[in-house]
Amino acid sequence: MTSVPTITLNDGKSIPQLGFGVFQIDPAETAEAVGLAFDAGYRHIDTAQMYGNEKGVGDAVRASGLDRADVFVTSKLNNGYHRPEDARDAFARSLAELQMDYVDLFLIHWPLPTLYEGNFVATWKTLEEFASDGRARSIGVSNFQVSHLERLAAETGTVPAVNQIEAHPYTTNDEVRAYDRDHGIATEAWSPIAQGAVLDDSVVVKVAEKVGRTPAQVVLRWHVQRGDVVFPKSTTPSRIEENFALFDFELDDEDIQAITDLDRGEKGRTGPNPDVFDHIPD
Ligand SMILES: NC(=O)c1ccc[n+]([C@@H]2O[C@H](COP(=O)([O-])OP(=O)(O)OC[C@H]3O[C@@H](n4cnc5c(N)ncnc54)[C@H](OP(=O)(O)O)[C@@H]3O)[C@@H](O)[C@H]2O)c1
């Protein structure tokens, strides 16, 4: 079976560079989808409190017969629980849903700078507690812009292990990626194929024809060669396998550049801008 490269985080832990995302997978169908991903070889699952399907992820891990230590599980703090006492309760609920005594990585899902008096620093300090008691092996953030990361650096002692941000050919997000790289933060690219929107792009299709791979494989390979962590989502068995087959071909510099040049900046986002996003799910 293909072996997925690992990336060493700034806390010494390692993370498989390719995982499986479960955003928008129905809670009732999550265990089956994650089971298919395990069969295909994935050992890294990206879930969140907001997705409502942590239980399905935990069920799949137990049903797989894999050792807990051989699976990397990430979850994320939901937007309604940024206050420290709420974050502590919510984190305990995540572990209960997953039926696990630790997660490999726990993230602040969104910075929410316009809520909670903009105090994501207090939330981050609460995640530091989960890291120090071992219930979160690594901690990080998601959707943090450079200004948010600069504030954490100025006001706290720990550097996030990862920053999970929207990144794909239409929003390369290279400014945040450069900050991450320069400060030892691993970048995780969410919606790596822009939920499918980049797959018909003529440049992507042309590179795919040239290397004899599918558009999705080419775009995911572009992320891998940029050094980012990715976890495409699919509930289609053939695509789950297709998205895992990324390590037996390479793109040349010209292909990489042609795909990077598709960047549309802010206009290319599929999701909201983190500076203004303030949604609290019910
Ligand atoms: N931190 C955050 O704020 C945040 C936000 C969004 C996402 N994420 C994470 O990132 C993960 C991935 O992002 P995403 O789920 O938004 O989008 P994505 O992985 O870019 O795209 C998923 C979509 O593409 C389709 N697809 C998957 N593989 C394909 C292939 N080989 N060919 C054609 N179509 C394909 C899927 O359809 P089918 O399922 O029908 O096959 C699904 O509609 C999420 O699951 C989640 O873990 C995090």
Side-chain angles (χ1 to χ4, degrees):
M1 188 172 279
T2 319
S3 84
V4 172
T6 55
I7 287 181
T8 303
L9 303 175
N10 63 20
D11 57 12
K13 307 284 193 317
S14 33
I15 182 169
Q17 195 181 5
L18 173 64
F20 183 71
V22 299
F23 177 44
Q24 292 174 326
I25 301 186
D26 191 308
E29 291 164 18
T30 301
E32 189 189 346
V34 174
L36 289 172
F38 286 144
D39 291 346
Y42 297 79
R43 294 291 180 268
H44 164 187
I45 309 297
D46 186 86
T47 184
Q49 294 171 352
M50 201 184 287
Y51 307 164
N53 56 17
E54 291 170 304
K55 181 171 183 307
V57 171
D59 289 345
V61 171
R62 268 179 309 287
S64 70
L66 292 165
D67 282 348
R68 172 67 187 86
D70 292 335
V71 182
F72 191 102
V73 177
T74 299
S75 194
K76 317 184 190 86
L77 182 71
N78 207 343
N79 292 348
Y81 309 127
H82 273 218
R83 291 202 173 80
E85 60 277 21
D86 296 334
R88 291 183 194 107
D89 290 346
F91 181 62
R93 281 199 299 279
S94 266
L95 293 178
E97 286 287 304
L98 289 160
Q99 301 161 72
M100 292 175 181
D101 50 16
Y102 70 90
V103 286
D104 295 279
L105 178 61
F106 196 68
L107 309 179
I108 301 178
H109 205 148
W110 290 89
L112 307 177
T114 63
L115 300 178
Y116 303 106
E117 298 83 42
N119 195 1
F120 51 76
V121 174
T123 314
W124 176 251
K125 288 181 174 165
T126 313
L127 262 64
E128 289 177 336
E129 297 170 13
F130 310 153
S132 60
D133 69 23
R135 290 181 301 155
R137 296 279 161 95
S138 297
I139 53 173
V141 295
S142 178
N143 299 301
F144 272 47
Q145 306 275 54
V146 169
S147 63
H148 308 138
L149 295 168
E150 283 173 338
R151 185 162 162 214
L152 281 191
E155 297 183 34
T156 77
T158 42
V159 179
V162 315
N163 185 18
Q164 182 178 130
I165 55 173
E166 177 171 358
H168 47 70
Y170 288 163
T171 299
T172 56
N173 225 332
D174 282 337
E175 191 193 331
V176 179
R177 290 178 66 254
Y179 182 97
D180 289 348
R181 189 182 53 242
D182 293 347
H183 295 82
I185 302 169
T187 296
E188 299 187 329
W190 64 251
S191 292
I193 56 171
Q195 300 202 328
V198 296
L199 302 183
D200 297 331
D201 191 284
S202 61
V203 170
V204 172
V205 170
K206 205 165 133 213
V207 174
E209 282 166 0
K210 179 179 144 191
V211 300
R213 293 299 183 126
T214 68
Q217 287 172 325
V218 160
V219 173
L220 294 168
R221 179 72 206 179
W222 171 82
H223 285 286
V224 166
Q225 288 185 220
R226 275 155 59 93
D228 292 353
V229 177
V230 278
F231 23 78
K233 170 266 174 187
S234 179
T235 47
T236 310
S238 60
R239 290 174 173 172
I240 292 174
E241 290 184 13
E242 175 187 332
N243 296 344
F244 193 73
L246 306 181
F247 302 103
D248 56 350
F249 73 106
E250 274 188 20
L251 303 179
D252 63 26
D253 292 346
E254 201 182 316
D255 299 333
I256 297 275
Q257 193 57 50
I259 297 170
T260 305
D261 287 344
L262 295 174
D263 185 26
R264 299 173 180 174
E266 274 308 301
K267 289 198 300 290
R269 284 188 191 274
T270 61
N273 182 309
D275 286 321
V276 295
F277 186 62
D278 61 0
H279 177 64
I280 297 194
D282 295 334

